[in-house]
Amino acid sequence: MAHQSELIEQDILAYLKSHEEKTLLRFITCGSVDDGKSTLIGRLLWDSKMVFEDQLVSLEADSKKVGTQGGAIDYALLMDGLQAEREQGITIDVAYRYFSTERRKFIVADTPGHEQYTRNMVTGASTAQVAIILVDARKGLLTQTRRHSFLVSLVGIRHIVLAVNKMDLIDFDEKKFEAIRQDYGQFAASLGFGDITAIPLSALNGDNMIEPSANTPWYTGQTLMNYLESVQIEGEDREKPFRMPVQWVNRPNLDFRGFCGVIAAGTIRPGDELRVASSGRTSRVARIVTMDGDLPEATAGQAITLTLVDEIDVSRGDMLTVPDAPPIHARHPEAHLVWMHDEPLQPGQIYLVKTATAVTPGRVTAVPYAVDVNTLEQKQVPTLGLNEIGVVRLELDRPIAFDTYQQNRDTGSFILIDRFSNATVAAGMVIAAAPMEPQNAPLTGFGPDLTDAQGGLPRQISLSEASISGTGVSVVDLTGEWGSIEFDVSTSFLDYLGKGNRILFRLRDLAQLAAVAQLAYQQTLSFEFDRTAYGVSILLFKRGIRSASSVSGDDGIGI
Amino acid sequence: MNKNLTHLQQLEAESIHILREVVSEFSNPVMLYSIGKDSAVMLHLARKAFYPAPPPFPLLHVDTTWKFREMIQFRDRMAAECGLDLIVHVNEEGVRQGVSPFTHGALYTDIMKTEGLKQALDRYKFDAAFGGARRDEEKSRAKERIFSFRSANHRWDPKDQRPELWKLYNTRIKPGESIRVFPISNWTELDVWQYIHLEQIPIVPLYYAAVRPVVERDGMLIMVDDERLELKPGETVQYKSVRFRTLGCYPLTAAVESEANTLPQIIQEMLLTRTSERQGRMIDHDSAGSMEKKKQEGYF
């Protein structure tokens, strides 16, 4: 660890002073095992002199033993932490790495590029400000490049480095680099990134990593390290309306009542008026209290304790905000949901929804659509499985305060926790306070009209094993059916419902509802009706049966 | 205040948020206090997080009975100054069996540290325990969550960790289970030293160079802290100016020769050497992945 060795040797106090002013940048690297991602991070650590001699000795030993570089230093081994992974030759989880230069401290989230680990990437990206998207120069953009880019944009990262790696293997061909850069620009146009910086690299040989490479005289842009040291990370959170989720109420004695939390947006000073999101009550800031004395001002990112002039009711779970730009306070937010658990989402089942401060029981009432992370196309699904991403509607037990994720990553995000296993099953990002109003034409034909407009017989829809897709919820899409319908039900289909599985009917119009209602009447079934911006759906199920494929029931709440 | 927050201000805020989250959501938290510099920083952050109240949890020290004497003095002084309850737990069974670092090798750490820790957590039924581990210390730590789930048997399963997103920590556990919480996960060794310097946080004097009695053993300088260190044939006690980069059980903690007796000098020395701090701890040397194994079994 010997950057700035001279200054350290000659004037340690000056060195320490200069390092007090460093800022912090968190970034994520996205790519597959083969793109040289671990090598790239290993190299950054190496070149910023963050590798110690004893680590070097073990790195050399490991390189000979399990390395992939024919006994030469395998930088990737600096990154591969857990033993089992080392033996498999892949990283399987999120790992965090640290290095610093004269200007910045860096926290790198390293996540696997392997398909089934989308959840890890979302996890690593959730705290990152910059994403490095690795591309193998020989292969150009791959499906996974698009997937990573989509995930990164979903999680709200605005600054992208397109790291075109292994340039040495295509003889540093400018044309090929340029083609990849343009391809990517076209593809990413819809993803809403703030900026995209393409850099031709060889992580293994160090080209354009720290110093400009002599092999790419045609490239005049920044090296990777230059970029990381200088990229401007918006301090715009402090300009936004004040938000502080109350994390803890500090009451050491009768005379002191402090509200603790991290400021999620804005700036606050004593005297400023604040509003409690849940009650609408207002008061003014009396003091901003710290162990080192009161502060004249505090801003986004700081963990503070403030006291108010009036005694008003504030507790953990509340949010203190400016009075004139309050957050959303609602029960039915619509959100992007990334499903992270082996057990698929059970629509209707109660989960715990943890937001910036509050934990509230709630459930997913509808999955209007899922997004195919490879094609970015929307698709109709009954539910979300591991690593699937969709738009969902939530119903919370009580209204809570939040912002849209686009406005604020801290007050617009949440996780879902399974009440029984306590697993973190999903990550959510609020899109809006409530579903958008339907854009489609007004619904017509309401009422039990079982005959076709042309006077013909109702069309028979067969419900049999063929309609069933796995355990949990199966979808029967009726949106393509025109005219009146009726159902022909098989015994195995009824058995399926009897085992606690559910059928989600997507309806074209309300006329179809009558057919579903009749089926429920004849077979003693129950259903739940849901209308969203995307249409009408009916969830059909047998009441009093434990839901299938889950250890948990829904306790008779809701469906 | 138009400047960006510095990296230390950001790390401090993150740590304080974590400390408060645990106090808000757990019924019986404890802070594992190992008396070293990382514990010193963690304790300081806890005082800041809950000011003007004292931190609302006790300190727990798992004493192997082989700590440096100066560590024990410092521990007692800090607990008193901060107004915190101090729980000292010794694995009495291990003591009865005469387990020592000289006779039991790797087993010693298992029995006196890992077992002792589990005993204490079980006895007081703590549901959350703060630890001062940092992710930059060691490879297996790099992948551990800030809120790290432990089964009722205190085991860590690196393949089944809860995803940890944003600042949203899942604190739910069943009876008997617990969570280890690492508030300074994202700090590096340099961050810790720099923060100690800026905030003038007291640390055990053993970190500063002084003339101390040492013997050279297996290429390491071991301090003769009391009469229990028996000299092997050929070993002699030498008086050298030494200091410690990391503190643990004195027979297992190597001193480095140094003249650094101020904080800036210590940081200077740290920056100019290229040996990572854990090398002074014999515990990591057993085998590749040894720390990972220990952690799975319940070692902090």
Side-chain angles (χ1 to χ4, degrees):
Chain A
M1 197 142 101
H3 53 277
Q4 281 190 304
S5 304
E6 279 177 27
L7 182 59
I8 294 167
E9 261 176 81
Q10 287 155 15
D11 192 348
I12 182 66
L13 288 173
Y15 171 87
L16 288 174
K17 190 78 202 151
S18 75
H19 278 246
E20 285 167 23
E21 306 301 323
K22 267 197 293 201
T23 55
L24 178 62
L25 179 75
R26 295 177 194 245
F27 67 93
I28 181 172
T29 50
C30 317
S32 77
V33 183
D34 305 326
D35 297 330
K37 181 163 53 90
S38 292
T39 304
L40 179 127
I41 305 171
R43 186 91 203 193
L44 284 173
L45 262 61
W46 178 263
D47 286 335
S48 63
K49 311 280 194 284
M50 294 303 284
V51 179
F52 294 103
E53 261 163 29
D54 53 337
Q55 290 174 326
L56 175 60
V57 170
S58 80
L59 178 63
E60 281 171 346
D62 288 352
S63 297
K64 291 202 180 88
K65 204 162 64 185
V66 289
T68 57
Q69 300 300 323
I73 296 276
D74 185 351
Y75 298 105
L77 291 177
L78 278 172
M79 296 303 300
D80 296 335
L82 300 186
Q83 204 172 15
E85 295 166 32
R86 228 198 275 187
E87 282 152 15
Q88 290 166 13
I90 51 160
T91 52
I92 57 165
D93 204 284
V94 189
Y96 295 89
R97 302 291 162 181
Y98 305 84
F99 65 97
S100 62
T101 65
E102 293 154 40
R103 297 168 70 171
R104 269 193 173 146
K105 171 188 165 113
F106 299 95
I107 301 180
V108 194
D110 180 29
T111 63
H114 205 274
E115 184 136 18
Q116 71 237 49
Y117 289 104
T118 291
R119 71 167 193 181
N120 294 334
M121 225 202 84
V122 170
T123 301
S126 72
T127 50
Q129 298 148 314
V130 167
I132 298 179
I133 302 211
L134 266 116
V135 174
D136 185 327
R138 295 168 301 176
K139 298 177 187 161
L141 305 191
L142 300 176
T143 299
Q144 62 148 359
T145 314
R146 300 173 211 280
R147 178 166 68 232
H148 294 157
S149 301
F150 168 67
L151 293 174
V152 156
S153 83
L154 181 75
V155 181
I157 296 177
R158 310 252 307 130
H159 307 282
I160 302 298
V161 176
L162 182 69
V164 182
N165 193 23
K166 306 196 181 182
M167 286 297 291
D168 51 323
L169 300 181
I170 59 160
D171 297 325
F172 298 95
D173 186 332
E174 179 183 7
K175 283 204 187 78
K176 285 183 184 159
F177 169 79
E178 192 54 33
I180 292 172
R181 193 181 69 79
Q182 284 183 11
D183 270 4
Y184 190 79
Q186 265 173 13
F187 154 73
S190 63
L191 292 177
F193 294 133
D195 53 71
I196 299 168
T197 306
I199 306 177
L201 292 171
S202 165
L204 194 62
N205 301 324
D207 293 276
N208 289 322
M209 290 290 292
I210 312 290
E211 300 295 330
S213 169
N215 293 317
T216 53
W218 44 267
Y219 175 73
T220 53
Q222 291 178 298
T223 65
L224 182 60
M225 187 67 95
N226 284 156
Y227 173 88
L228 293 173
E229 281 190 321
S230 62
V231 59
Q232 283 298 308
I233 302 306
E234 306 86 344
E236 63 187 20
D237 274 353
R238 76 189 52 183
E239 308 302 330
K240 293 178 185 169
F242 182 79
R243 298 277 187 271
M244 189 183 92
V246 176
Q247 201 189 0
W248 190 64
V249 181
N250 191 351
R251 272 171 299 194
N253 56 56
L254 291 174
D255 304 323
F256 188 89
R257 200 150 166 269
F259 303 105
C260 306
V262 175
I263 302 176
T267 300
I268 194 85
R269 294 173 195 84
D272 286 357
E273 192 175 13
L274 288 184
R275 177 181 185 275
V276 184
S278 60
S279 66
R281 298 283 305 274
T282 60
S283 181
R284 290 185 182 281
V285 177
R287 300 167 56 198
I288 305 169
V289 182
T290 80
M291 198 165 85
D292 308 313
D294 285 6
L295 298 179
E297 178 179 281
T299 189
Q302 283 181 282
I304 62 165
T305 299
L306 54 83
T307 62
L308 299 176
V309 172
D310 310 287
E311 277 207 20
I312 57 172
D313 190 30
V314 184
S315 53
R316 176 172 166 87
D318 273 324
M319 202 190 299
L320 295 173
T321 78
V322 283
D324 52 350
I328 298 164
H329 191 246
R331 271 188 68 207
H332 296 94
E334 187 169 69
H336 279 116
L337 200 66
V338 182
W339 198 256
M340 302 190 149
H341 203 260
D342 294 331
E343 291 283 333
L345 164 70
Q346 298 285 325
Q349 181 182 301
I350 301 284
Y351 294 95
L352 297 175
V353 182
K354 181 161 185 176
T355 63
T357 53
V359 180
T360 315
R363 57 193 185 130
V364 171
T365 54
V367 187
Y369 63 88
V371 180
D372 183 319
V373 293
N374 294 326
T375 62
L376 307 194
E377 280 167 7
Q378 297 181 5
K379 55 181 182 182
Q380 299 291 306
V381 291
T383 184
L384 298 174
L386 179 62
N387 292 320
E388 287 189 315
I389 296 170
V391 168
V392 301
R393 283 182 57 199
L394 291 162
E395 180 182 277
L396 306 171
D397 264 19
R398 59 187 171 84
I400 56 168
F402 50 85
D403 291 294
T404 65
Y405 188 75
Q406 208 172 16
Q407 282 172 327
N408 194 303
R409 284 167 90 172
D410 287 336
T411 54
S413 52
F414 62 89
I415 55 173
L416 291 190
I417 300 170
D418 185 286
R419 279 188 307 165
F420 299 93
S421 70
N422 290 332
T424 302
V425 293
M429 290 148 279
V430 174
I431 302 167
M436 290 168 283
E437 283 307 305
Q439 305 289 316
N440 30 4
L443 288 158
T444 54
F446 179 69
D449 173 14
L450 293 183
T451 54
D452 181 311
Q454 278 80 44
L457 286 173
R459 208 175 102 77
Q460 290 267 319
I461 308 281
S462 172
L463 297 176
S464 62
E465 270 169 84
S467 323
I468 301 168
S469 56
T471 309
V473 182
S474 293
V475 173
V476 174
D477 191 350
L478 300 175
T479 54
E481 297 292 336
W482 293 86
S484 63
I485 53 170
E486 66 183 34
F487 296 109
D488 174 25
V489 191
S490 77
T491 321
S492 57
F493 185 81
L494 292 172
D495 282 351
Y496 177 73
L497 286 166
K499 285 177 186 148
N501 297 295
R502 304 149 193 232
I503 303 292
L504 187 76
F505 291 95
R506 294 197 184 285
L507 306 191
R508 182 180 56 77
D509 62 33
L510 283 182
Q512 293 175 331
L513 174 61
V516 180
Q518 193 156 33
L519 172 64
Y521 177 77
Q522 286 162 353
Q523 305 294 342
T524 336
L525 297 166
S526 306
F527 61 80
E528 190 181 75
F529 176 92
D530 220 349
R531 180 190 171 196
T532 72
Y534 311 93
V536 172
S537 59
I538 306 288
L539 191 66
L540 185 71
F541 55 94
K542 190 151 186 79
R543 195 177 288 283
I545 305 282
R546 281 173 70 81
S547 85
S549 81
S550 167
V551 292
S552 49
D554 51 45
D555 294 352
I557 304 165
I559 55 177
Chain B
M1 202 189 289
N2 288 318
K3 285 197 312 180
N4 291 317
L5 297 182
T6 67
H7 73 292
L8 286 175
Q9 285 170 325
Q10 289 189 54
L11 290 172
E12 181 189 73
E14 179 184 77
S15 301
I16 287 175
H17 176 260
I18 292 161
L19 286 154
R20 288 170 174 168
E21 193 68 10
V22 168
V23 164
S24 300
E25 296 231 326
F26 289 88
S27 54
N28 192 21
V30 68
M31 180 172 279
L32 268 285
Y33 184 63
S34 72
I35 324 173
K37 64 182 193 309
D38 301 315
S39 281
V41 164
M42 189 165 62
L43 178 57
H44 185 78
L45 290 164
R47 296 177 76 183
K48 285 193 149 187
F50 304 105
Y51 180 87
F57 42 75
L59 298 179
L60 170 65
H61 179 226
V62 178
D63 192 349
T64 59
T65 73
W66 291 93
K67 300 294 171 190
F68 291 90
R69 283 173 300 171
E70 276 187 88
M71 289 173 72
I72 301 301
Q73 290 160 11
F74 183 86
R75 174 194 76 190
D76 295 344
R77 180 165 72 83
M78 286 309 292
E81 273 179 24
C82 301
L84 284 172
D85 284 340
L86 171 68
I87 298 168
V88 177
H89 180 84
V90 176
N91 181 353
E92 296 296 349
E93 182 57 29
V95 172
R96 259 195 301 282
Q97 289 172 357
V99 174
S100 90
F102 305 114
T103 53
H104 288 73
L107 203 58
Y108 160 77
T109 311
D110 286 348
I111 295 173
M112 296 309 288
K113 284 182 87 168
T114 310
E115 280 306 313
L117 174 62
K118 289 187 205 171
Q119 286 169 359
L121 295 176
D122 287 341
R123 179 162 156 195
Y124 297 96
K125 304 208 181 319
F126 294 119
D127 53 1
F130 292 110
R134 308 188 320 268
R135 286 178 177 147
D136 84 321
E137 275 179 282
E138 200 273 334
K139 279 185 197 171
S140 76
R141 293 214 195 274
K143 304 195 174 191
E144 187 160 13
R145 305 296 187 251
I146 293 174
F147 282 60
S148 188
F149 178 81
R150 292 294 190 279
S151 70
N153 301 322
H154 304 284
R155 285 188 70 91
W156 177 56
D157 183 356
K159 301 227 173 209
D160 186 23
Q161 300 195 81
R162 295 174 175 176
E164 206 161 72
L165 299 106
W166 300 289
K167 298 186 182 87
L168 299 174
Y169 303 105
N170 179 350
T171 58
R172 302 267 301 179
I173 51 168
K174 294 174 185 166
E177 296 171 344
S178 61
I179 298 219
R180 308 272 171 94
V181 184
F182 304 105
I184 60 168
S185 286
N186 284 325
W187 297 55
T188 62
E189 186 181 14
L190 177 58
D191 297 329
V192 164
W193 281 119
Q194 186 134 26
Y195 191 69
I196 289 171
H197 173 62
L198 270 178
E199 299 276 314
Q200 301 179 337
I201 300 169
I203 51 172
V204 183
L206 291 163
Y207 284 113
Y208 298 103
V211 175
R212 297 185 171 99
V214 291
V215 294
E216 200 175 323
R217 182 172 290 180
D218 303 329
M220 304 205 196
L221 291 175
I222 302 297
M223 180 168 156
V224 186
D225 196 48
D226 59 35
E227 70 293 341
R228 291 179 294 175
L229 188 94
E230 287 174 23
L231 296 186
K232 293 179 181 173
E235 285 181 346
T236 51
V237 177
Q238 307 165 60
Y239 284 81
K240 289 189 170 179
S241 178
V242 295
R243 64 179 206 87
F244 295 86
R245 298 181 61 194
T246 172
L247 293 179
C249 300
Y250 82 81
L252 296 178
T253 308
V256 290
E257 288 193 67
S258 169
E259 303 289 333
N261 55 16
T262 66
L263 207 46
Q265 283 172 359
I266 289 174
I267 300 173
Q268 184 175 38
E269 194 178 274
M270 192 262 304
L271 289 169
L272 293 175
T273 53
R274 287 179 57 97
T275 312
S276 69
E277 61 183 319
R278 291 197 74 86
Q279 201 197 24
R281 296 187 205 177
M282 293 176 172
I283 184 171
D284 285 353
H285 288 196
D286 306 347
S287 63
S290 69
M291 181 61 91
E292 186 184 337
K293 277 187 211 132
K294 287 194 172 64
K295 286 176 69 64
Q296 286 184 24
E297 287 155 12
Y299 180 76
F300 232 83

